[in-house]
Amino acid sequence: MEQIELAKKAIAGDETALLQLLKQEESTHYRIAFSYLKNEHDSLEAIQEFTFRCFRKIHTVKQAQFLNTWLIRVLLNVCNDIQKKKSRYEFRKDVEELTFQVDSNKLELSEAISKLSPEQQQLIYLKYYCDLKNKEIAKEIHISEGTVKSRLHTALKKLRLLFNEGGQS
Amino acid sequence: MNDNNFDKLKEELTNITVPTEKLATLRQNGYTKYKKRQKRTRLYFKQVALIAVLAIVFVTSIRVSPAFANAVAKIPGFAPLVEMITKDKGLKDIVDNEYFEALNIVQTKNNITLTILGTIADETGIVIFYELEAPFNLSNLETKEFQLRQNGEVINGSSTSGWPYTEASKTIQGKLEVIATSKIDYSQPDFEIYLKFGDTKETSFTIPFTLTKPIQPSKVYDVNKPLEIDGQTIYVQSLTISPLRAELKLKADRQNTMQILQIDQLKVLDEKGEEWGKIQDGLVGLGGFREETNSIFIQSNYFRKPEKLTLVLDQIEALPKGEDYVEIDFLRQKVVKVPPIEDFDIKILDSNSIEVTYKPKVDHHVQLFSDVIDAKGNKFYQNSFSVYENHNGFTENAYQFDLKGAVNPVQIYFFSYPHYLKGSTQIEIPLTE
């Protein structure tokens, strides 16, 4: 309940409330960023940019109960941007790319997840990391429970495909 | 893929060590970056066929005497005028001549109280002062829509709304302004303000009001004389003086080799040598040298009744024709063409906005761009412009364009750039009506 009050304040422009909220959720956010970007340096950069974008865009959030989902969506977009920037950068530095691949063995599933669309990733993180039920996800992102089911199904199918590909190579 | 895999994922994620201290620092960095960016003024506006020339000036010192500022602040409802007067001499005359009308109309909706404090009106436009009050912070509230209607129809023109950036506050004083495309008719002075805000309930207000004080008519002086400067010709067409502003109409000769953009230093002097400069903040002109209409607004000396005026043009911005636009492909997120100018950098932000960093030698506040021509030759307009804080002499601007239906790549034409013709020029304007 307190969470929702904080979210309401944050949306209304209370900056301290938003900072507090981000602090509370920092482990979840950092871990998602890390699973996506695979190293501390980039994950920290992501958190900084994520904080900036949250403050800049918080006024666009319509309802307090969707704030957490919105935050994850913003975070995934930031990670996506950093990843894009990085791949351009690493294209020129193939040595680093090798080490990068070695590290990633540990997180092969999240590696596969990072290849899904941001919407699909959000769904997977909400379901399997934040432990939300389909019904709750439906409420959070404003779609019917049936749609959640079918989207999850599509996401999982794609994931399975990606996962198996990764496993074989 | 089964739930076991996901349990493994969860375990993997939970095993990631969270560097709490570093996170606190970076969160703070992100927040600081936001606060710095926020120290900017932003103008939202609607283009109605004519390009609105906008300038954003950061006022650091108040140049009117504190006694005068105090006196103005006491006029009920006109406190925001104090800030305006620091930037516009004509408004000081308006106050001295009591050319304003207090209204004090109050309406409350969804916990937001809107008070229409008063207006200043003339044939060229109307300025409306208002106050907002709510039990929550209003400083970030966005004004979504503003219309001024007369006889049920929206007055055609350019309008601006909003307030300068403030710290969190539950009371806001702002100003709405309409500069009409054609003369406003006051034979039936009944108007209606429509305002919509970006709160969660999208609260909107419709407030009718009637003006009772007489409106002073504009004085029009035809000039029609050419001016030569640095091999280029500019025609001075007319000067129209009204209480809120004087409007100077200029036109560039088609044969010019340079595309004339803005005139950075422009002033009129009366027979006693007293000067009036351009209007510096907000809407400072309409149209441009590429358009049919090109009006530059000068601070008004309406109430002074000068005998003759001298017009001085200096620091005339120009770029060689053909090098006066940037070409951008928003679809492929690529900058196709940038003219060869120094210290100029352009970044594409998303599907309809760009960020520009450049290094002006002198203070430069006017928007760099205005209209856009798409690959099919159709014209589009810019709809938002913001200035970020300066650092190391660089100015950072962001522009958003209304590109619905545009075909990429698009050419975005320079509207202003601090690159000047050599020299200055002047002309006498006899004030016979």
Side-chain angles (χ1 to χ4, degrees), chain B residues 344-358:
Chain B
F344 180 83
D345 187 44
I346 200 161
K347 233 189 343 203
I348 303 172
L349 294 181
D350 48 42
S351 62
N352 67 347
S353 44
I354 53 172
E355 194 173 273
V356 176
T357 313
Y358 66 105

Side-chain angles (χ1 to χ4, degrees), chain B residues 197-220:
Chain B
F197 295 102
D199 55 326
T200 45
K201 289 177 180 150
E202 301 223 316
T203 308
S204 68
F205 293 90
T206 305
I207 301 186
F209 68 93
T210 302
L211 295 178
T212 53
K213 285 194 161 187
I215 300 297
Q216 299 283 353
S218 304
K219 298 174 208 164
V220 186

Side-chain angles (χ1 to χ4, degrees), chain B residues 93-113:
Chain B
D93 289 354
I94 280 183
V95 174
D96 287 339
N97 287 277
E98 296 188 12
Y99 188 70
F100 48 75
E101 189 161 341
L103 292 168
N104 290 310
I105 306 169
V106 187
Q107 221 180 73
T108 305
K109 255 189 187 173
N110 302 332
N111 262 335
I112 303 176
T113 301

